[in-house]
Amino acid sequence: MIDRHIFTDYTPLEVHFYVLLRRCNPMPRPGGFLTHHALLCGSAPVGFTQKKINDMHDFLVGNSGGSYRESEITVFPNGANEKILSFMLQRLAAAETDQIFLYICTEQPVETREPSVWLCGEQIPKSALENPFCCDGPACPEVQVIYDACADFIPDDSDCDD
């Protein structure tokens, strides 16, 4: 089940509520609880992160955003190529993750009819993001893809010597 929508100028809370409203209620795996993982992919230059990537991360780890643990979020602030994203999606499926939240933040808005997105110079077909698995059914994770745009970059704090 793919939930795809294009967001521009929405807050992380508005994006989250949209996802909640559109989400079907999948059956939990044996053991009684759902597992989830978020992949946040930005398109900032090296040494920077997009403001919306940081905002989405903070929202997801907060109590109002799903209470994700840090270990359930992978961030690619400077983009990722198709092979890396495909590898991550396949590994999450192999780990029996129930829900995958894929947040793609480009510098320019993504048109609905465009067949691909650009992350830091890498062209990635939307089909590789929206239909990453050959299966359909209870063994296949639910993937929610959100396309957003942000041209506000903030410097990485990791390069500072305080």
Side-chain angles (χ1 to χ4, degrees), residues 63-84:
N63 290 332
S64 62
S67 299
Y68 279 70
R69 296 187 307 260
E70 288 289 339
S71 63
E72 296 172 329
I73 301 173
T74 303
V75 180
F76 297 101
N78 310 115
N81 62 33
E82 182 180 354
K83 288 182 182 180
I84 291 172

Side-chain angles (χ1 to χ4, degrees), residues 2 6 9 16-17 30-31 61-62 64 69 74 78 106 112 119 130 140 152 159 161:
I2 303 298
I6 297 174
D9 299 324
H16 180 70
F17 282 123
V61 296
S64 62
R69 296 187 307 260
T74 303
N78 310 115
T106 60
T112 304
L119 291 175
E130 298 168 5
C140 201
D152 295 332
D159 296 333
D161 295 323

Side-chain angles (χ1 to χ4, degrees), residues 2-161:
I2 303 298
D3 188 9
R4 177 177 62 98
H5 195 78
I6 297 174
F7 288 90
T8 55
D9 299 324
Y10 288 92
T11 66
L13 185 59
E14 291 168 326
V15 171
H16 180 70
F17 282 123
Y18 172 81
V19 170
L20 287 177
L21 289 173
R22 298 281 305 193
R23 178 182 295 165
C24 66
N25 295 318
M27 295 299 294
R29 298 215 185 270
F33 59 92
L34 291 171
T35 58
H36 58 198
H37 196 92
L39 295 174
L40 310 180
C41 301
S43 56
V46 174
F48 292 87
T49 303
Q50 286 166 296
K51 183 179 182 314
K52 283 190 175 183
I53 292 286
N54 283 350
D55 292 346
M56 182 58 73
H57 175 272
D58 294 345
F59 178 73
L60 290 173
V61 296
N63 290 332
S64 62
S67 299
Y68 279 70
R69 296 187 307 260
E70 288 289 339
S71 63
E72 296 172 329
I73 301 173
T74 303
V75 180
F76 297 101
N78 310 115
N81 62 33
E82 182 180 354
K83 288 182 182 180
I84 291 172
L85 289 176
S86 177
F87 173 78
M88 288 296 299
L89 291 167
Q90 295 302 325
R91 293 297 300 157
L92 290 171
E96 297 186 350
T97 304
D98 294 302
Q99 297 174 336
I100 300 171
F101 176 65
L102 183 54
Y103 181 74
I104 305 292
C105 191
T106 60
E107 289 184 58
Q108 301 294 323
V110 177
E111 294 289 329
T112 304
R113 63 185 176 274
E114 288 182 33
S116 59
V117 296
W118 288 87
L119 291 175
C120 288
E122 293 283 339
Q123 185 175 13
I124 302 170
K126 285 183 180 178
S127 61
L129 305 173
E130 298 168 5
N131 303 307
F133 308 111
C134 297
C135 62
D136 189 24
C140 201
E142 174 188 358
V143 180
Q144 299 169 353
V145 182
I146 303 293
Y147 298 104
D148 203 350
C150 176
D152 295 332
F153 302 117
I154 52 177
D156 289 341
D157 292 333
S158 60
D159 296 333
C160 298
D161 295 323

